Each structure stands twice: as structure tokens, then as C-alpha cells.
């Protein structure tokens, strides 16, 4: 299986990991927010050093493509694109809301009929959100939304089991 360098900068978390065969080989992360520009290159270098030391071949770079923090996305995408171009390897864009939903699906005991509602704080009383079912079929396309008492009524009025998560 491919060795992939994974970069996440679309939220307040800055993280970089090396994965292979479905396993995390090494990773670095910071949950303090607003540190992406200062930390990302060091995390990437540490991961590339790990790959070199283990005599692995890097097959691709994966990066979160949002929605999320504009500045964080710019920093992560620039680093990822530069690496992929310089190393002549594929660049894989990963939807941030969708990967958040997958994380909840695989790390928690959930009813298969549940709907997954990731939320990222977009500031100014707004969130970036979407609604997915267990097959990751889109029930509500990723969108910015100002939450109020009618948000998600389409599903809640029908008695849907909805799992809300994220920093929004």
C-alpha cells in the first residue's frame, strides 16, 4: 500500500502524519490554533526525515481542501502542492467535512441509520456544515450556515438520528 504524507490545516488543528497500509507510522499535531505557519514546515520535515530513516518511498501527498480557515488552507495547500510538484508525486485533496464524518463513523459506536453533521466554526455566528449518511451520500452539500431553531428541521421533524460534531 502507498506511503502518504497527510497534511491538515483547515481547522484550528495543525497536523502532519505519515500513513501506510492503513496505519499511522508517525504524526505531529498541535491543537492550539493559529500556529500553522510556524509549525507546519517543521512537522513536514520531521515526517520526511522519518520516511528517509525508514528507507520508505513517498507515494503521494494528501491535504485537506476545506471548507475551513482560509489562512490555514492556504498554508497547507501551498506546502502540499510544493512537495508534490518537487517530488513528482500525486497530490490528493480531501474534503474536510467528509473526513470528519468518517472519523466519527469509525471511532464511535453509531446507529447505521444515523446522519452525520460535521461543523467547523466559520466565525461571525456561522458554521461550515454538511449532512452525510453512513454511505457518505450527501444529504446536505457542504455550505456555510447561520444556525437557528429551523436548522436541520428537514431531518429532525422526521425523527432522524443526527450526530453533530466539530468545533462549530
Amino acid at each position: 500500500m502507498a506511503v502518504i504524507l497527510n497534511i491538515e490545516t483547515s481547522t484550528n488543528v495543525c497536523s502532519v502524519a505519515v500513513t501506510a497500509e492503513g496505519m499511522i507510522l508517525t504524526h505531529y499535531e498541535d491543537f492550539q490554533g493559529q500556529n500553522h505557519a510556524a509549525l507546519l514546515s517543521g512537522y513536514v520535515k520531521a515526517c520526511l526525515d522519518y520516511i528517509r530513516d525508514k528507507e520508505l518511498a513517498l507515494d503521494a501527498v494528501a491535504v485537506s481542501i476545506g471548507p475551513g480557515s482560509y489562512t490555514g488552507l492556504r498554508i497547507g495547500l501551498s506546502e502540499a502542492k510544493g512537495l508534490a510538484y518537487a517530488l513528482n508525486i500525486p497530490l490528493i485533496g480531501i474534503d474536510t467535512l467528509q473526513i470528519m464524518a468518517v472519523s466519527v463513523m469509525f471511532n464511535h459506536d453509531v446507529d447505521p441509520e444515523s446522519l452525520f453533521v460535521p461543523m467547523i466554526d466559520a466565525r461571525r455566528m456561522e458554521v461550515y456544515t454538511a449532512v452525510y449518511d453512513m454511505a457518505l451520500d450527501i444529504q446536505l452539500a457542504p455550505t456555510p450556515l447561520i444556525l437557528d431553531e429551523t436548522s436541520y428541521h428537514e431531518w429532525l421533524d422526521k425523527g432522524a438520528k443526527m450526530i453533530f460534531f466539530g468545533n462549530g
Side-chain angles (χ1 to χ4, degrees), residues 13-140:
V13 176
C14 177
S15 69
V16 180
V18 176
T19 58
E21 299 181 24
M23 303 290 292
I24 298 172
L25 303 180
T26 190
H27 75 282
Y28 299 87
E29 57 193 8
D30 177 76
F31 292 88
Q32 303 306 309
Q34 311 305 318
N35 295 320
H36 298 62
L39 299 174
L40 183 62
S41 292
Y43 289 174
V44 167
K45 181 182 182 322
C47 285
L48 292 175
D49 289 346
Y50 175 90
I51 290 168
R52 185 193 65 234
D53 292 346
K54 299 294 182 185
E55 298 181 0
L56 301 170
L58 184 60
D59 296 300
V61 177
V63 63
S64 56
I65 58 171
S69 161
Y70 178 72
T71 301
L73 286 165
R74 258 190 13 231
I75 292 165
L77 287 165
S78 297
E79 183 99 15
K81 186 176 180 181
L83 282 169
Y85 180 78
L87 298 172
N88 196 30
I89 57 176
L91 178 62
I92 304 166
I94 308 291
D95 179 279
T96 304
L97 295 171
Q98 196 172 55
I99 202 68
M100 288 171 65
V102 169
S103 177
V104 171
M105 288 177 191
F106 287 105
N107 292 305
H108 300 279
D109 186 24
V110 296
D111 183 317
E113 299 301 314
S114 296
L115 295 175
F116 300 87
V117 188
M119 291 186 196
I120 298 172
D121 184 4
R123 300 193 180 147
R124 299 183 185 97
M125 303 298 293
E126 196 169 34
V127 296
Y128 297 115
T129 188
V131 178
Y132 301 98
D133 65 15
M134 188 64 110
L136 287 181
D137 291 328
I138 298 171
Q139 308 300 307
L140 172 67

